[in-house]
Amino acid sequence: MSSLQNSPELISTLKTIVGHAHVMTGDASTYRFTHGFRFGAGKVLAVVQPGSLVELWRVAKACTDDGKIIIMQAANTGLTGGSTPDGNDYDRDIVLISTLRLDRSHLIGDGKQVVCLPGATLYELEAKLAAIGREPHSVIGSSCIGASVLGGVSNNSGGALVQRGPAYTEMAIFGQVGEDGQLRLVNHLGIQLGNDPEAMLRKLEEGSFSEADIDWNAGRGHDGNYISHVREIDADTPARFNADPHRWHEAAGSAGKLVTFAVRLDTFPAEKNTSVFYIGTNSTDELEDLRRHLLTGFDTLPIAGEYIHRDAFNIAEKYGKDTFAVIRYCGTKVLPTMFALKSRFDIYAKKLGFLPEHFSDRVMQTLSTLLPQQLPQRMLNYRDRFEHHLMLKVSAELTGPVEAYLTKFFGKATGEFFKCTDDEGKRAFLHRFAAAGAAIRYRAVHPREAQDIVALDVALRRNDRKWFETLPKEIEDKLIVKLYYGHFLCHVMHQDYVVKKGYDAMEVEHSMLPGLDARGAKYPAEHNVGHLYQAPQEMLDHYRSLDPCNCMNPGIGKATKRKNWVAESV
């Protein structure tokens, strides 16, 4: 990569567009943008934070005109490095554009749809819609760590809500770089904004368009077919996975190959008076029998069905305790600030030189031991008795029928269930989502024993009865601990493995993949390929159609990073 001194004019231009305070060029100031939440790191020429859509357009245009690579980034909560640079072997300088300041959203059609700008977060949208009794596509899981709405759409992210499927829309406004290297604005938002790019973006950001400007037949705002798709329990294919071309449409599934200015999405009526059932069993067959009946035996689907294995339960109880407590007592809104402070602390600790690696994690883990027990006693009792745990959330209308079915089912089965109080239900789901960061903390505080983490999110076949993984001994011997948790009704499993010191995590991961292939599984299921996975050819062709010059987020899916998709030299 060329040095900063080679582009002083561009840096000056960017500072003129957004202001000096919003252009960062040093390693320290760019660190929290160039290092992924779990994976990914590299150097950039600059990090730029536009304060308006017009500024974003001008920044993107200046960068493309100067032949620079653009990496679009919102909350930087991805797990596969898809919104950070990957090493320093690019053939052009990188400008990373952070959209965090562009966090507005506009409700339209009495809140039945929403137009989200690039930095709008799931948490903020959830709070906005709650005031009118509605919900966004995803309300738990990713929203707990401040993920952006556009990040979910760009990667067809799934989530816990069974009826809604992966994030998807056919309505967006975006900048696309053509084969000639020129950036053009494409308005497929279904809202008349005019013809001049800057005037259009200004109107969009202000929300100064009228109801008459909106085309209510412009396209789908979510994947309405998923609700029947997931019910097909005898199908020999997974319900949802990132490389499914049926859920790619321009901004949806674009993985940063476009400069997306806004997306238009459906919202949903909020469920009231819901119930949570907590289920424990030592039989995987019993859980699979439950899954099949819950998907086919009732007129409506459950809201969510989240699985956690006992080992993940235990690791999350100890190493996710502080995250659990912060969300429980303060809410998810504090997490982005907390992560930003943690990143700044890590940078300072690294500068000092004499502090151990992952020092902030070690401090936080030590402090977490002072916290009281966060989990309800009934959950802890089930942990001691049962290996497999399922949290089932249902609507008020489904509560009676599901409780009657569970009572009958466990009258003969070996497991048990209980109906949660409101507080128990909230804590059960919160504990499940605290598990997602527990492996990271475990690795950080056990540097002598742990080499690294292998993190897989796997979509299993809908008819796969043998859903629980059994690894060969030669792989098991390289692992300290395995964490299994996931969206059970969709058969999407998150599988985190802490690798023993001395073993290469990437090699361990690659040794696992043939076993998944043999089972007909697809991966990744919802975190997208990023820089960790090899994208299938159909997916690479899709990315190439969106970005023919390969100047937007090159290298995704282990593709070439070179301009115009030129093959890497051997």
Side-chain angles (χ1 to χ4, degrees):
M1 179 183 287
S2 58
S3 66
L4 175 63
Q5 285 72 28
N6 291 337
S7 301
E9 291 183 3
L10 176 62
I11 298 299
S12 177
T13 298
L14 297 176
K15 288 180 177 179
T16 299
I17 294 171
V18 303
H20 286 239
H22 300 295
V23 178
M24 292 152 275
T25 55
D27 288 347
S29 61
T30 61
Y31 183 93
R32 66 190 178 101
F33 301 96
T34 59
H35 288 68
F37 177 69
R38 180 180 280 175
F39 174 86
K43 292 185 179 296
V44 298
L45 180 68
V47 171
V48 186
Q49 290 189 297
S52 69
L53 293 184
V54 170
E55 287 184 4
L56 173 56
W57 169 258
R58 292 174 180 173
V59 166
K61 201 162 188 336
C63 292
T64 53
D65 288 348
D66 205 51
K68 298 296 186 274
I69 288 170
I70 294 175
I71 295 179
M72 298 294 297
Q73 182 187 98
N76 193 18
T77 58
L79 302 183
T80 59
S83 61
T84 57
D86 175 47
N88 300 312
D89 57 339
Y90 295 83
D91 61 344
R92 292 151 288 164
D93 287 329
I94 299 170
V95 174
L96 190 154
I97 302 178
S98 168
T99 62
L100 290 176
R101 298 174 66 203
L102 308 175
D103 58 358
R104 297 182 69 179
S105 58
H106 303 296
L107 301 184
I108 59 175
D110 296 323
K112 293 179 181 178
Q113 288 190 336
V114 62
V115 176
C116 292
L117 272 56
T121 65
L122 286 169
Y123 168 77
E124 292 164 336
L125 180 58
E126 184 180 346
K128 192 171 192 176
L129 288 170
I132 59 170
R134 298 189 71 83
E135 295 176 340
H137 171 270
S138 179
V139 297
I140 49 180
S142 295
S143 58
C144 288
I145 54 175
S148 69
V149 176
L150 257 70
V153 172
S154 295
N155 294 299
N156 292 137
S157 298
L161 302 185
V162 181
Q163 302 175 26
R164 298 179 193 174
Y168 176 80
T169 187
E170 295 170 355
M171 297 172 286
I173 181 169
F174 52 89
Q176 184 171 29
V177 184
E179 292 183 6
D180 59 359
Q182 295 299 304
L183 180 70
R184 296 175 177 84
L185 187 64
V186 179
N187 181 15
H188 289 166
L189 197 61
I191 300 176
Q192 291 295 326
L193 298 169
N195 297 308
D196 175 70
E198 293 198 3
M200 292 167 66
L201 294 173
R202 194 173 291 111
K203 185 176 183 179
L204 173 62
E205 184 165 5
E206 293 170 353
S208 57
F209 49 84
S210 68
E211 291 282 318
D213 293 323
I214 302 173
D215 178 4
W216 293 106
N217 298 303
R220 294 188 294 162
H222 81 287
D223 180 11
N225 298 324
Y226 186 78
I227 200 166
S228 57
H229 183 73
V230 74
R231 285 183 182 266
E232 297 172 0
I233 58 174
D234 293 317
D236 199 37
T237 56
R240 55 180 171 92
F241 56 98
N242 293 125
D244 184 354
H246 294 100
R247 297 187 181 94
W248 299 337
H249 186 88
E250 299 175 341
S254 61
K257 287 294 184 179
L258 300 170
V259 182
T260 304
F261 291 92
V263 294
R264 179 175 157 192
L265 299 161
D266 293 335
T267 70
F268 305 85
E271 296 279 4
K272 298 179 180 179
N273 303 315
T274 59
S275 297
V276 173
F277 298 99
Y278 198 94
I279 297 163
T281 180
N282 291 312
S283 168
T284 57
D285 286 337
E286 286 182 1
L287 276 193
E288 182 59 21
D289 288 341
L290 269 178
R291 187 186 79 89
R292 295 173 70 85
H293 186 82
L294 289 167
L295 289 174
T296 60
F298 302 97
D299 291 338
T300 58
L301 289 175
I303 297 169
E306 292 296 295
Y307 168 82
I308 187 169
H309 183 265
R310 178 159 54 198
D311 290 346
F313 185 113
N314 290 335
I315 293 293
E317 180 192 10
K318 182 174 182 179
Y319 297 96
K321 189 178 183 181
D322 53 334
T323 299
F324 183 110
V326 167
I327 297 174
R328 182 185 173 198
Y329 296 126
C330 304
T332 58
K333 63 182 178 181
V334 305
L335 287 185
T337 301
M338 190 178 78
F339 286 135
L341 291 173
K342 180 180 181 298
S343 177
R344 291 189 179 99
F345 183 85
D346 287 338
I347 294 168
Y348 181 72
K350 192 173 182 180
K351 278 184 176 180
L352 292 178
F354 61 85
L355 293 174
E357 193 175 8
H358 307 300
F359 184 64
S360 64
D361 282 288
R362 298 189 191 192
V363 171
M364 292 166 70
Q365 185 59 34
T366 299
L367 293 175
S368 73
T369 62
L370 304 176
L371 293 169
Q373 173 61 257
Q374 297 295 306
L375 300 179
Q377 189 59 48
R378 288 203 286 183
M379 283 176 59
L380 296 172
N381 292 342
Y382 267 45
R383 180 270 311 278
D384 295 338
R385 297 174 55 205
F386 300 116
E387 182 179 1
H388 306 285
H389 299 240
L390 180 67
M391 288 137 275
L392 185 64
K393 186 176 184 179
V394 299
S395 65
E397 293 75 18
L398 208 54
T399 295
V402 167
E403 186 169 15
Y405 172 74
L406 293 176
T407 301
K408 180 180 178 180
F409 181 86
F410 285 111
K412 298 178 181 178
T414 62
E416 293 182 16
F417 81 98
F418 64 85
K419 185 179 178 182
C420 296
T421 65
D422 287 346
D423 181 62
E424 285 175 329
K426 290 175 182 176
R427 287 205 248 178
F429 274 89
L430 180 51
H431 181 60
R432 152 63 186 89
F433 292 110
I440 302 173
R441 175 66 61 78
Y442 185 99
R443 177 194 60 182
V445 300
H446 295 282
R448 295 180 181 178
E449 299 87 8
Q451 181 69 36
D452 208 341
I453 298 171
V454 170
L456 299 175
D457 59 298
V458 179
L460 303 175
R461 292 179 290 112
R462 283 168 282 175
N463 65 351
D464 190 352
R465 292 197 61 90
K466 303 297 181 182
W467 57 271
F468 192 72
E469 181 178 66
T470 302
L471 290 171
K473 186 177 185 301
E474 59 269 23
I475 297 179
E476 285 271 9
D477 290 344
K478 298 175 183 177
L479 306 175
I480 300 174
V481 68
K482 301 174 295 182
L483 282 71
Y484 295 108
Y485 53 95
H487 315 308
F488 188 65
L489 299 186
C490 297
H491 254 196
V492 168
M493 298 297 294
H494 296 284
Q495 303 176 178
D496 295 344
Y497 313 86
V498 181
V499 179
K500 289 180 181 177
K501 201 73 173 179
Y503 292 102
D504 184 277
M506 195 64 71
E507 289 181 6
V508 172
E509 178 179 342
H510 289 167
S511 69
M512 294 175 173
L513 302 184
L516 293 174
D517 294 337
R519 296 171 62 191
K522 297 289 186 181
Y523 48 87
E526 57 185 12
H527 290 152
N528 216 344
V529 290
H531 290 289
L532 279 180
Y533 297 91
Q534 175 67 54
Q537 189 59 49
E538 189 173 19
M539 190 176 232
L540 293 177
D541 292 342
H542 168 62
Y543 291 157
R544 188 165 185 165
S545 70
L546 295 176
D547 176 26
C549 72
N550 203 25
C551 55
M552 298 291 302
N553 211 7
I556 290 294
K558 296 190 178 294
T560 176
K561 296 175 180 176
R562 296 174 68 85
K563 186 177 181 180
N564 298 324
W565 298 85
V566 174
E568 305 283 0
S569 57
V570 180

